[in-house]
Amino acid sequence: MTRFNTNQVLGLIIALVAAGYLAMAFQIPNFALPRPIDSDLFPKVLGFTLFGLAVLLFLEKPKDQDIPDELDSEEQAKPLLLRPWSRIVITSLAIAAYALLLVPLGFVLTSLTLSFSLAWYFGYRRHSVNLATSAGVVLVLYLTMTRGMDVYLPPGILPF
């Protein structure tokens, strides 16, 4: 019997998520007016990209140094909130909070808060650079999506 490694299990899970996402992306209706780029293109590209990355993850062979026998003393000495599994849980909770607060607070504010706080949590300490980069990326995304592609993103409490 073949035993799957961690990369293969994660690759299968991500491939299933990508397949579900693609199934939903193909349900997006086309606009009545012809457009060069329709509303379903971006979700389909994301879905196929995710599926392709899942396949690459499945095919990747883990190296010996990637598989620790046990947590080393350095990892055990870290506070609970900075251990690897805690980081996964906290990042997942932050993304769930982002999804819940997206409409009431708006895309710009929630995206800026998520990107800045996760960068800070993962150890980036140059706060002015972090804030400038987060704000720049979020504003470029917001303006590109709302002004350039006519995609509705919730404005929230900000006046734009």
Side-chain angles (χ1 to χ4, degrees):
M1 181 170 199
T2 304
R3 181 169 181 219
F4 291 109
N5 63 42
T6 305
N7 286 350
Q8 291 173 328
V9 172
L10 289 174
L12 287 172
I13 293 169
I14 293 171
L16 289 173
V17 169
Y21 181 84
L22 280 169
M24 290 186 287
F26 277 98
Q27 301 299 316
I28 297 173
N30 292 333
F31 279 108
L33 300 173
R35 295 178 144 199
I37 297 176
D38 213 350
S39 59
D40 63 340
L41 178 68
F42 190 63
K44 287 177 183 175
V45 168
L46 284 177
F48 282 116
T49 302
L50 182 61
F51 191 79
L53 290 172
V55 169
L56 290 176
L57 182 62
F58 183 84
L59 297 175
E60 182 181 33
K61 300 290 184 210
K63 298 173 181 66
D64 288 337
Q65 71 264 20
D66 292 342
I67 306 170
D69 293 331
E70 59 185 52
L71 283 178
D72 58 359
S73 59
E74 182 181 315
E75 286 293 325
Q76 291 177 343
K78 288 184 179 179
L80 179 64
L81 293 178
L82 297 178
R83 292 184 186 164
W85 285 106
S86 298
R87 289 180 181 241
I88 292 170
V89 170
I90 289 174
T91 302
S92 300
L93 291 173
I95 292 170
Y98 172 80
L100 292 173
L101 296 172
L102 184 62
V103 172
L105 295 181
F107 176 82
V108 173
L109 194 58
T110 53
S111 298
L112 177 64
T113 303
L114 178 73
S115 62
F116 179 84
S117 61
L118 283 180
W120 171 79
Y121 175 68
F122 281 102
Y124 193 77
R125 297 290 182 246
R126 294 181 61 194
H127 301 306
S128 58
V129 173
N130 186 9
L131 183 61
T133 303
S134 297
V137 169
V138 167
L139 288 173
V140 165
L141 280 173
Y142 182 78
L143 293 174
T144 300
M145 298 292 276
T146 57
R147 306 284 195 273
M149 300 174 77
D150 289 330
V151 173
Y152 172 78
L153 293 174
I157 59 176
L158 296 179
F160 54 88

